[in-house]
Amino acid sequence: MDITLHYYPSNASVTPHILLHELGVPFALQLVDRRAQAHKSPEYLRLNPNGLIPTLVLRDAQGEQVLYETAAIVLQLVDLHPQAGQAPLPGTRERGEFYKWLAWLSCSLQPYMTHYFYSDRMVAPGNADGAAQVRAAAEAMIASRVDQIEARLAQGPWMLGERFSALDPYAFMLCRWTRGMTRPARTLPHVGAFLQRMLERPSLQKVIATEQWPQPLV
Ligand SMILES: N[C@@H](CCC(=O)N[C@@H](CS)C(=O)NCC(=O)O)C(=O)O
């Protein structure tokens, strides 16, 4: 199977980028140059009508499948490569936990990042005060969600406890996005240690080198 990840450095494509290395499968990267608005180009919109990053393209003898939405990409990748053990087996209690946290990261945390980073889109054009209020409210919501991750990681090194899974790249990515906020996730003891554990993984080191992340990394 040919796998191509359409990505932009430090964007939501970071989660599948790390995961693909964790799975140990060959894949190609296709830069979606946001500086040139490539994510809103007709070619990219044909793949992902939302004009958002990431998009994953899978090609095999049956043809091509185009996937978007980080959580959907994660689920398809872990299910296509069960031998890599990046998710508990379907039907187990642990798999239920995996679903819960995956949905939570995607639906109960990530959207506030959109409100924070694109607060101007949530108000009428030119309403700078309104945008600042949206940004502040989103930051408070994010902080309360990061507190939940902190509580979770107090129970074990990874999101599922003792076991590393595809949840960890996702949690890492979202916590990393707080690095410019008033209370960066790295300042919390358990999340801070988790971010450092993640940075030590060969998968992360490959992603950092390829995407050329600037300092500070988290
Ligand atoms: N729910 C989507 C969100 C993706 C998303 O918001 N991606 C951002 C980059 S981190 C993006 O493409 N932003 C461009 C834009 O909003 O125009 C997912 O998880 O795939």
Side-chain angles (χ1 to χ4, degrees):
M1 174 176 285
D2 287 337
I3 303 176
T4 302
L5 175 64
H6 294 251
Y7 84 109
Y8 189 77
S10 293
N11 276 209
S13 43
V14 162
T15 293
H17 195 178
I18 299 170
L19 178 57
L20 284 160
H21 282 302
E22 292 285 345
L23 293 168
V25 295
F27 64 94
L29 286 172
Q30 177 66 52
L31 179 73
V32 185
D33 191 354
R34 286 190 62 171
R35 291 160 305 180
Q37 291 292 305
H39 57 312
K40 307 297 180 194
S41 68
E43 301 81 50
Y44 190 73
L45 291 173
R46 268 197 289 279
L47 292 176
N48 184 340
N50 305 292
L52 298 175
I53 298 163
T55 300
L56 190 78
V57 180
L58 304 164
R59 282 186 206 87
D60 63 13
Q62 291 177 316
E64 184 177 275
Q65 181 180 31
V66 180
L67 290 177
Y68 45 82
E69 288 300 328
T70 306
I73 291 171
V74 164
L75 282 170
Q76 184 72 336
L77 284 175
V78 298
D79 285 348
L80 284 172
H81 305 95
Q83 76 291 346
Q86 289 292 313
L89 290 177
T92 60
R93 288 175 78 98
E94 259 200 317
R95 181 72 168 207
E97 285 292 303
F98 179 84
Y99 287 140
K100 179 182 78 179
W101 284 108
L102 185 65
W104 183 86
L105 290 167
S106 172
C107 306
S108 296
L109 172 51
Q110 191 173 347
Y112 293 116
M113 297 288 181
T114 305
H115 287 72
Y116 177 86
F117 287 110
Y118 306 103
S119 54
D120 55 321
R121 293 184 189 168
M122 310 298 164
V123 295
N127 183 357
D129 287 348
Q133 285 176 19
V134 168
R135 197 174 162 90
E139 190 171 356
M141 295 301 279
I142 291 165
S144 75
R145 268 56 180 172
V146 171
D147 285 343
Q148 289 191 51
I149 297 180
E150 173 72 5
R152 177 71 200 156
L153 291 171
Q155 297 167 40
W158 308 113
M159 289 298 288
L160 283 183
E162 293 304 318
R163 172 195 181 138
F164 182 89
S165 76
L167 295 173
D168 296 301
Y170 208 156
F172 171 86
M173 178 186 79
L174 295 174
C175 288
R176 177 173 181 257
W177 287 350
T178 70
R179 65 195 184 283
M181 296 184 188
T182 314
R183 192 200 63 172
R186 66 171 177 271
T187 60
L188 300 180
H190 295 291
V191 178
F194 164 74
L195 295 176
Q196 291 305 317
R197 270 194 296 282
M198 286 296 298
L199 287 174
E200 286 165 13
R201 294 184 78 84
S203 60
L204 239 304
Q205 287 166 15
K206 287 179 196 150
V207 170
I208 293 166
T210 305
E211 298 196 0
Q212 300 194 319
W213 291 358
Q215 296 288 339
L217 293 175
V218 293

